[in-house]
Structures are given as structure tokens and as C-alpha cells.
Amino acid sequence: MPGFSDLKKGLSSIESLERELNLKQLQINRLLNITQAINNNVSAEGLFNMYRSFLSWEIGVKKMALFVQDEEGGKWKCTASIGIEEEIPTAEVSKQFYKYTRLISVDEAEHPFIRRFDVVIPVRHKEKSIAYVFIGGFNEEDDMYNKVQFITTITNIVAVAIENKRLFKRQLEQERLKREMELAGEMQRMLIPKQLPYTSCYQLDSIYKPHYGVGGDYFDFMEFDNGRIIFCIGDISGKGVAAALLMANFQANFHTLIKKQADLGEFVQDLNHSVNLITKGERFITFFIAAYDMKTQTLSYVNAGHNPPVLVNDGQVQLLDRGCTILGSFPKLPELEVGEVNLDGEAIVLTFTDGLTDLQNEKEEYLNEQQLYRFVRSNYKLTATDFNKKLMGYLEAFKGENIYPDDFTVLTCKIFTPGHSQG
């Protein structure tokens, strides 16, 4: 018959097993709670609070610091802690993280903050470190191995859930930006003229290649009954919906103001004022506008900080560079000069945005202005359409396998003066 001491030992063993079983059941229940919270899309802050509460109350952790990366995935931050009252030197501590690729004791750690803990548990997801938890304050009688194993499990679950939230949010942001760019591209395509004039006196033709479907390039024209045609090209700063909205407003102002048929200088001053009112000087537009009068055979123009267009008049090359500074930066343009050229023979005007001269060949050499001038001079007798087709062939051959690095727009105006007219 067993003695009293043996019975006492048996009861103590049963009580110990019951306590361990209760603890396991508690851990499983909390694990289920956290899993359910993740499925219910509980916020990151809510998950961190559950994690901290579980480690403190159910596991009995005295010291803990959990570090995860911010939403941009760049900087580390402490999102949950136990037993730490002072401010945590996160920037300094995070410099030590590269040393920890597996669960390890940190007794010999260099940084004094880390030495306050017993172990560090790194969490990796798809070969990337996404969290580090430092644990300390264990009692000698604690089953440290089992506790650390369970802490590792629950930390992995919470950290991966937070990482998935971050990746999902980034995916949503990327989809939103993609849709925004699509909308901006649709808006801009609506603003760009689809049909350009071809008469016995002049012809317009364009090449329009916005970068990734959206850009800041703009061109337009207006014909008048008195034998006058006005054409323009511009480059609006910025990308996306903001640039598209500014372009829409700019186009509306262009058509409203140009109908006054005022002097080009007055028109550009008014246009600059309208841009400045909208942008408050925070955005700008490089702009070139020209007016050709068929009766006087005179080309008047203003260049507002734009790439100088190339005019070839009866074989002579001239840059159209007179004008003023960019539009939108000042309420009133400080200086403005209207350029004027008399056309004596067959002429062509090549206007373009800076994406043209940003083009590089496979040797990383840029398309320079002299190459462009020679091309225009050699081909100025072509119609605008044939000129642009030949120009595209020239650019394709020049760049080889390279891509167009930026928005790329060309507006070519061919002028047929008397004696050189085309019917």
C-alpha cells in the first residue's frame, strides 16, 4: 500500500500536469483568438495590443520589445513593448538587426538596450526579415524552451499578418495610382487635337508619344477666317491627374483668350496670369506659340522658356528663341519680346518638347541639336506629314533598341508661300 508521501507526490504531479494542460489550452485559445482577429481584418494596432496582452498575462513575459518595419518598408519602429518605460533608441538598435538571422541569446550583445533581454527572435518572410522580438525577464523555474517556442509561433503569425496588410495596402495604392494614370491619360488624349489642317497655304502634322500613356506635353491650333493660323506647343510640369487638370484648364484659357485675336504679347501675358492664378507659382509651363498671316507672309511668335523651334525658310536655318520666361512662375511676365520673321519661300517649322533631345542611342550619346538642324534643313521641302514620317524613321534608327525616356511630342508646320503652294 503506497505511503502518504507517494500519494502526495502523485497529487503534485497531477496538479502540475493540469496546470500545464490549462496553460496549453489557454495558449491555443489565444492563438485561435488572434487568428480570428486576423481573419476579421482587425487593425495592426489591435493585433499588437492582443500580442502584448498575451505575452504579458498568459505567458508571463516581464520584458519585451517588438520591432516591425513601417508601412513604406523602410524604417524600423517598436510597435509593442512590456516593462520598458523610457524612449527606445530604435534607430541605434535597428543597426544591430543584421546580426540576428536565427533565434539566439543576446547576453553578449554590444548595445546596452539589447543586453537587457535574454533572447531575440527574428521573423523572416520570403527571405526577408520582417520583425524582431526581444524577450527577457524569465524566472529560473520557467519552462523557457516551451515558452520561447510558443512566442516564436505567435510572433510569426502576427508579423506575417502585418506584413501582408502592408503589402496589400501597397498593392491597393499601386492599383489606385495605375487607375489615376489611366484617367489622366484619357483626359489628355481628349485634349489633344485629332485632326490637323492641310490647306493650299499650310499643313500641320504631329507626333504624340506620352511616356507610359500620360505626360505633360500639349499642342493646339486655331484657324481664323482672315487668313491667320495660330499653333502652339507646351510642356506642363508634373505628371498624373494634376498635370492633366492643369492641361484642361490651360486649353480652355487658350481657346478663350486667343479668340480675341489680340497681339501675341498681350495674349501670352493674359495666359501667364491665368496659369499663375491657378498654380500659385508652384507649377509652370514652357510654351511656344506662333501666328502665321497668309496675307503678309509673316510669322510672329513668342517662346516662353521652351526648346527653340527650328525654322527653315528657303533653305536657311533659324531658331525661334525670342520671347519670355516660363509661364506661371510670376503674376506678370517681367520681360516679353514678340519675334517676327518674313517668309520669302517654302518654309517649315519644327516644334518639339525636350523628350526629343533627351533621346539616346545605344552608345548613350544624346541626339544633339546640330543633328536635328541638319535633318530639318535636308527635308524642309517635304510636306509636314512626310517630314514627320521621315523624322520618326530617323529617330528609330538613332535610338536602336533604347526606349523613349520621357514624353515626346512634335508639331510640324509646313508653309507653302505663293509660287510654292500645294493644292
Side-chain angles (χ1 to χ4, degrees), residues 39-324:
N39 291 336
N40 291 336
N41 200 28
V42 170
S43 67
E45 185 179 358
L47 290 177
F48 291 137
N49 288 335
M50 292 180 71
Y51 178 82
R52 178 172 49 242
S53 174
F54 174 68
L55 263 61
S56 176
W57 294 101
E58 276 81 356
I59 302 296
V61 171
K62 302 294 189 301
K63 288 181 184 177
M64 181 274 293
L66 174 66
F67 295 88
V68 299
Q69 287 186 313
D70 58 22
E71 291 185 352
E72 286 72 34
K75 295 182 179 180
W76 292 92
K77 61 179 181 179
C78 182
T79 55
S81 64
I82 300 171
I84 302 171
E85 302 297 332
E86 75 278 10
E87 184 177 348
I88 298 173
T90 304
E92 296 177 16
V93 173
S94 62
K95 293 177 182 178
Q96 309 294 319
F97 287 173
Y98 74 94
K99 300 177 182 179
Y100 308 121
T101 57
R102 58 184 177 84
L103 191 154
I104 192 172
S105 171
V106 293
D107 294 338
E108 306 269 332
E110 296 178 7
H111 198 281
F113 177 81
I114 298 177
R115 285 200 299 270
R116 298 167 60 179
F117 300 91
D118 297 318
V119 295
V120 58
I121 305 170
V123 179
R124 295 179 67 81
H125 181 54
K126 296 180 180 179
E127 305 303 318
K128 175 189 173 185
S129 296
I130 60 172
Y132 293 90
V133 61
F134 293 85
I135 305 293
F138 288 107
N139 297 321
E140 291 184 4
E141 65 273 14
D142 283 341
D143 185 353
M144 185 173 173
Y145 176 80
N146 283 329
K147 285 190 173 184
V148 168
Q149 289 298 110
F150 195 79
I151 291 171
T152 301
T153 299
I154 202 167
T155 303
N156 272 272
I157 291 172
V158 171
V160 170
I162 297 301
E163 176 69 4
N164 287 338
K165 280 179 178 287
R166 186 177 70 83
L167 293 175
F168 181 66
K169 185 175 182 180
R170 177 182 291 180
Q171 182 182 355
L172 290 178
E173 180 67 14
Q174 288 174 342
E175 290 176 356
R176 184 189 67 79
L177 289 174
K178 180 182 177 182
R179 181 56 184 156
E180 179 181 297
M181 296 298 277
E182 289 173 351
L183 287 171
E186 291 172 11
M187 289 176 63
Q188 289 178 325
R189 283 189 290 274
M190 292 171 63
L191 299 174
I192 297 300
K194 293 178 176 60
Q195 291 185 330
L196 297 173
Y198 188 0
T199 73
S200 61
C201 296
Y202 56 80
Q203 182 196 14
L204 291 178
D205 191 76
S206 67
I207 302 170
Y208 180 62
K209 289 186 174 294
H211 199 44
Y212 298 122
V214 61
D217 290 358
Y218 169 78
F219 67 89
D220 213 334
F221 73 96
M222 180 73 71
E223 294 179 284
F224 297 93
D225 294 336
N226 61 2
R228 193 167 179 245
I229 182 173
I230 290 178
F231 59 94
C232 68
I233 190 168
D235 190 351
I236 296 170
S237 65
K239 306 288 182 185
V241 171
L245 290 173
L246 179 55
M247 184 184 292
N249 182 273
F250 186 79
Q251 186 208 45
N253 282 314
F254 170 82
H255 282 269
T256 300
L257 296 172
I258 204 66
K259 288 177 181 177
K260 297 178 181 179
Q261 295 203 57
D263 172 78
L264 273 188
E266 294 177 17
F267 166 76
V268 172
Q269 282 284 10
D270 290 342
L271 197 59
N272 170 74
H273 182 65
S274 67
V275 173
N276 181 263
L277 281 177
I278 296 167
T279 66
K280 309 300 182 184
E282 295 179 1
R283 287 180 179 269
F284 62 87
I285 299 174
T286 68
F287 184 66
F288 172 85
I289 184 167
Y292 175 63
D293 190 324
M294 290 179 283
K295 295 177 180 178
T296 63
Q297 299 177 39
T298 301
L299 184 77
S300 304
Y301 71 90
V302 173
N303 188 331
H306 198 75
N307 301 89
V310 186
L311 165 67
V312 178
N313 180 21
D314 205 18
Q316 300 300 311
V317 177
Q318 181 177 347
L319 297 183
L320 305 181
D321 54 5
R322 296 183 179 182
C324 59

